Amino acid sequence: MAQANALLEEDKAPFQRIAAPCPYVGTCGGCTLQDLSYDDQLALKRRRLARLFSQIGVSRPIHVHGLEPPWRYRNKAELSFGADQARLTLGFHAARSFWKVVDLDDCLLLPEPISRVLQDVRAALRATGLPPYFPRRHDGLFRFLLVRSSHADETIMLCLMTTPWDHAAVVALADQLMAKHPNLVSIYWGVTSRLADVSEPEELTLVRGRAYLEDRLGPFDLQLHPLTFLQPTPAQAQRLYARVAEWAAGAASGNAWDVYCGIGIVGFHLAGKYARVYGVDSEARNIELGRLNAERNGLRNVTFHQGRAEDVLADKRFWLLEAKPDLVVVDPPRTGLHPSVIATLLGARPKQIMYISCNAEAMVRDLRLLADGFPSYHLRQVEAFDLFPHTAHVEVLALLDRA
Ligand SMILES: C[S@@+](CC[C@H](N)C(=O)[O-])C[C@H]1O[C@@H](n2cnc3c(N)ncnc32)[C@H](O)[C@@H]1O
């Protein structure tokens, strides 16, 4: 962490500093680039990518698609509860701290209606006089608040996570919030006693409103759940998926794999170009929503397989014969591809591989393995999409093909 911070400071050094618009910068761990103009942020990301990709022989500049305007773009957030003296706080973790929560009245990355709802959740929970959960002591009540908003119609879904609590109290809270915020259409309650500081509930209940948030991404209608994965920046994600569809060569009687598929949105963009699309994801909730959304959009040629990619793809008879791919798109978590997934890709010999990544270091490591493999895969295109303005993160899309 200290090393990453030092590297970031070094990368920021050539750029002129500006006054960060958000008053929480420096205390909140979120936005580490707000003291640069947005043009300079993009330049910094281009330089970082150029430095990394030069390690695998890429000398051409990598375009980073910027977002305009680069504010209030996130359609979801995960906030934590904490305490300042005896006062309940709600916000993001403080910079360099797993325990301290910065109490936020607003976040310039979140749509304003979300900030208004968050303020009222905090006020209502403060009024109970009950404590937050204290991760170091493993006691207390309020743990996390997940919030998700629809890009299509600005409706909002909340999920409050607590240790075991009183159902009637949660219902009363939900009624109070929904009476004040007509755009709040769905409230879930998650209960977790886990020691780990992760927002994964052991029990999840729909308290009030709709089971799903209705959204639209490009040509697809989507139903979303509080815990399903969806890229947080809809306008940019849409550009990224459109590029995937554009680069995909297509095969009217062929197959495409969408590995680490989430709810399958990459595969949906390929369904018109391939006879069959196979989505693979480890999370049962993602797969369930993938199936629901494929059906909703009339995509009968998209099927889903639940499990870890390294396990699911081990069934070589199915994946290398029956479902043998013309295109494989991978979009792994930050750790990158499991070595056995790389081995399966090389064994499957698709004409094209597309790699989507939020961690360019891991991506470059894996691209090198694909280039050194047999068959050898060559990098044909690479572009980046700024899904995370004001943070040091960037999403990269690479297209490879085999000799
Ligand atoms: C970066 S997200 C990509 C989601 C999707 N492609 C999209 O654009 O919405 C990574 C996904 O990988 C899934 N995942 C994490 N580890 C996995 C594994 N070992 N095998 C399969 N899926 C995994 C997560 O559930 C998550 O949905």
Side-chain angles (χ1 to χ4, degrees), residues 162-200:
T162 69
T163 50
W165 194 29
D166 174 14
H167 183 262
V170 186
V171 171
L173 171 74
D175 287 341
Q176 181 188 339
L177 291 169
M178 284 177 130
K180 186 157 178 202
H181 297 275
N183 55 339
L184 189 52
V185 295
S186 169
I187 298 187
Y188 277 85
W189 176 34
V191 176
T192 174
S193 303
R194 284 177 212 275
L195 298 185
D197 202 27
V198 290
S199 55
E200 179 59 48

Side-chain angles (χ1 to χ4, degrees), residues 317-356:
R317 198 198 51 78
F318 178 74
W319 293 99
L320 302 193
L321 292 173
E322 208 171 311
K324 192 169 168 49
D326 296 270
L327 163 70
V328 176
V329 182
V330 290
D331 186 0
R334 290 190 67 74
T335 44
L337 296 177
H338 190 281
S340 79
V341 172
I342 296 191
T344 305
L345 293 194
L346 293 171
R349 298 173 55 86
K351 288 193 199 72
Q352 295 182 305
I353 296 177
M354 277 190 237
Y355 194 138
I356 304 171

